[in-house]
């Protein structure tokens, strides 16, 4: 049956001989078909497109996406929101589609996928997966994710991840756009650049001034795009704390290296053995001679105190978006410099998850309320405005008291900040940081940074950042979303600037995706989602707006992520013909038909293309052929006979 369908298509297109330039469309689409598609998609009304405020790259591409969708009749309105507002809109499902990102290495694929479950990840994936085409379901996908998190054998891991990737891909809820590399622009007076290996990992402490002062100014990429505030700088909680500054101040037991290597940090070595409670026992040999910024020595007692607070009672649920808080059974000190963790379940990415910038980073015991004697239940290090964490799953409530000092073991110590109150795009007043100062930690175990004073600067616009960088007022721009890729391209290729500004790019550490919300009509129809996907010419705007600095991708997860090398079909790529065809296709009782209220012209040469891998049954192809050859009664009878034989799943 498939061979017959392909023969029909080849014959019909040869006979039709429709010009590629007909109607100025530049494809094999006739104007009547396009008009019908536009009429079909206009009836859906306005679709809500969420954009992050102060994100230069997102701002550059959102109008391209809107224009592409307008070509097939969709009316799209972009809503620019703050980080907090966009998270709220995503979690509530109050959007049609949104630009978002995977979490990147070391979070991908494990933690990002586990964050889909119950919406704990906050990226809107949970509501977006509400309406899978039966018999597939969101719950079954989440069960597959839970299962893979307990697998340790490499071969089985690959098989299980392959099934997961194919499962969500078939539902057309995530359109991979481009792989994100982290840009860094340095004043040429600085040397020693090394790329970070996860998002917001900016190893500024490895830079060294060749000329000029040891004070260095930086405009870093932040969660909000352009820098707004470093937050509370408490290592155990989340936003508005910024990853990059927490990473300068606080360290964990291990760190994440190139190619997924787990590297020593506050632990120099470790052993792993199966235990008798169904999990593993990890023994970490702690680094000798390390001090916190306040002079307190690092030892096993400090490690245990931090875990006592981070994983106390109901806080396990608060941090339960990834595995470590859920599966650690207990922790103890074997001696002063050997720390023991026991898990009650096998968890493949356990060490990888210990490299995360938060929440398991180490704070000086002196920073806890009442120091070493702090009760982690009544005076927990969790942020004060978290209040009382209700002990629903555990016996006791946890009272958040915060910390009384910002002391870690990292290469930079917090010094001071200058705050100011501004009015954001939603008319709300909020307090931000104009400038935050960090100083070199001279007793840092890895060697004191050559930069002695690091000043984090806030700018209103990308243009202000660019002006400051070119004038020499600003030494470093590190991170995505601060300057547009067009600006970076221009600076990198400006002959006059090549002796003044050096431009670097990291490897691709995360992917940008367009999230399509199947929980909100009309995107609850998979064919509407496919129409949107095939109408977006991502290669064109990546080349035009991002100047080819980023690479178009076909998989949700980045190249650096393990187990992502899966050939997913059909490819979610730009195909205007498919978008036009899908615009009026509905599924009724398992049979795909052309919508009655907006049928295509009977001379549409494209309907037969449904048999070329779009996943439609042959009935759609035959229905079109019957229309085109309507004068041949004998041919119609043959088609009717074939129709009874059933559909072919392309």
């Amino acid at each position: 049956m498939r061979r017959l369908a392909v023969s029909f298509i080849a014959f019909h297109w040869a006979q039709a001989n429709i010009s590629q330039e007909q109607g100025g469309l530049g494809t094999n689409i006739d104007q009547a078909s396009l008009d019908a598609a536009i009429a079909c998609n206009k009836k859906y009304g306005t679709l809500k497109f969420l954009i992050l405020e102060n994100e230069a790259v997102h701002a550059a591409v959102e109008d391209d996406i809107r224009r592409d969708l307008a070509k097939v009749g969709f009316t799209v309105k972009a809503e620019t929101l703050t980080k907090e507002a966009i998270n709220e809109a995503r979690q509530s499902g109050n959007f049609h589609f949104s630009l978002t990102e995977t979490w990147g290495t070391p979070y991908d694929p494990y933690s990002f996928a586990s964050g889909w479950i119950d919406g704990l990840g906050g990226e809107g994936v949970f509501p977006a997966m509400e309406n899978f085409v039966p018999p597939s379901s969101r719950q079954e996908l989440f069960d597959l994710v839970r299962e893979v998190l307990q697998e340790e054998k490499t071969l089985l891991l690959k098989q299980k991840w392959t099934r997961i990737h194919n499962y969500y891909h078939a539902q057309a809820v995530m359109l991979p756009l481009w792989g994100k590399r982290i840009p860094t622009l340095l004043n040429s007076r600085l040397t020693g650049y090394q790329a970070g290996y996860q998002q917001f990992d900016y190893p500024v402490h490895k830079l060294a001034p060749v000329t000029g002062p040891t004070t260095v100014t930086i405009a870093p990429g932040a969660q909000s795009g352009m820098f707004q505030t470093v937050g509370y700088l408490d290592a155990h909680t989340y936003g508005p704390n910024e990853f990059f500054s927490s990473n300068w101040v606080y360290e964990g037991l291990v760190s994440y290296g190139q190619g997924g290597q787990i590297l020593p940090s506050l632990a120099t070595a470790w052993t792993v053995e199966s235990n008798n409670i169904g999990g593993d026992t990890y023994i970490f040999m702690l680094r000798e001679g390390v001090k916190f910024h306040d002079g307190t020595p690092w030892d096993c007692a400090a490690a245990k105190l931090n875990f006592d607070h981070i994983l106390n009672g109901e806080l396990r649920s608060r941090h339960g978006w990834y595995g470590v808080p859920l599966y650690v059974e207990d922790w103890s000190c074997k001696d002063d410099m050997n720390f023991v963790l026991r898990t009650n379940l096998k968890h493949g990415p356990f060490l990888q998850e210990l490299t995360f910038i938060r929440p398991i980073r180490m704070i000086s015991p002196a920073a806890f309320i009442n120091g070493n004697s702090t009760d982690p239940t009544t005076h927990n290090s969790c942020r004060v405005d978290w209040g009382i964490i209700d002990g629903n799953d555990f016996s006791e409530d946890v009272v958040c008291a915060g910390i009384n000092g910002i002391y870690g073991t990292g290469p930079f110590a917090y010094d001071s900040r200058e705050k100011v109150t501004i009015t954001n795009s939603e008319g709300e007043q909020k307090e931000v940081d104009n400038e935050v100062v960090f100083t070199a930690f001279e007793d840092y175990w890895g060697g004191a940074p050559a930069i002695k004073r690091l000043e984090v600067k806030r700018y209103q616009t990308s243009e202000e950042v660019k002006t400051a960088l070119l004038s020499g007022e600003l030494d470093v721009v590190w991170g995505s979303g601060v300057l547009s890729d067009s600006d970076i391209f221009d600076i990198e290729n400006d002959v006059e600037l090549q002796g003044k500004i050096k431009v670097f790019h990291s490897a691709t550490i995360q992917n940008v995706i367009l999230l399509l919300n199947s929980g909100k009509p009309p995107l609850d129809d998979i064919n509407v989602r496919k129409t949107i996907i095939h109408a977006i010419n991502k290669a064109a705007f990546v080349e035009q707006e991002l100047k080819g600095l980023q690479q178009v991708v076909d998989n949700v997860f980045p190249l650096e992520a393990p187990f992502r090398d899966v050939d997913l079909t059909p490819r979610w790529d730009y195909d205007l013909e498919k978008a036009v065809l899908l615009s009026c296709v509905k599924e009724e009782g398992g049979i795909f038909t052309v919508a009655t209220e907006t049928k295509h012209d009977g001379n549409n040469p494209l309907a037969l293309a449904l048999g070329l891998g779009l996943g439609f049954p042959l009935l759609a192809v035959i229905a079109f052929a019957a229309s085109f050859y309507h004068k041949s009664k004998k041919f119609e009878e043959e088609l009717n006979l074939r129709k009874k034989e059933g559909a072919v799943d392309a």
Side-chain angles (χ1 to χ4, degrees), residues 17 51 79 97 99 106 118 172 198 219 225 230 293 330 356 364 384 402 417 419 422 438 495 500 517 535:
N17 192 28
I51 301 296
E79 291 195 10
F97 39 90
L99 282 172
D118 299 327
Q198 58 177 298
V230 295
H293 297 156
D330 51 41
F356 294 173
S364 169
V384 174
R417 71 205 307 169
K419 296 183 179 181
I422 65 170
F438 298 86
V495 176
K500 301 177 181 178
N517 184 7

Side-chain angles (χ1 to χ4, degrees), residues 100-176:
T100 187
E101 299 164 352
T102 66
W103 292 350
T105 54
Y107 302 88
D108 292 342
Y110 291 101
S111 298
F112 185 61
S114 62
W116 302 342
I117 302 171
D118 299 327
L120 293 175
E123 301 298 331
V125 178
F126 181 80
M129 292 181 169
E130 180 177 344
N131 286 310
F132 278 12
V133 177
S136 297
S137 70
R138 178 171 63 183
Q139 186 57 51
E140 184 178 17
L141 174 61
F142 292 169
D143 289 342
L144 294 174
V145 171
R146 291 188 180 97
E147 180 184 344
V148 80
L149 291 172
Q150 297 176 32
E151 185 57 65
E152 294 182 307
K153 296 179 179 178
T154 302
L155 180 60
L156 292 177
L157 277 167
K158 183 172 180 59
Q159 292 173 353
K160 290 179 178 181
W161 274 114
T162 296
R163 184 182 178 191
I164 289 170
H165 292 322
N166 279 287
Y167 199 102
Y168 66 71
H169 175 80
Q171 300 303 318
V173 293
M174 290 185 280
L175 171 62

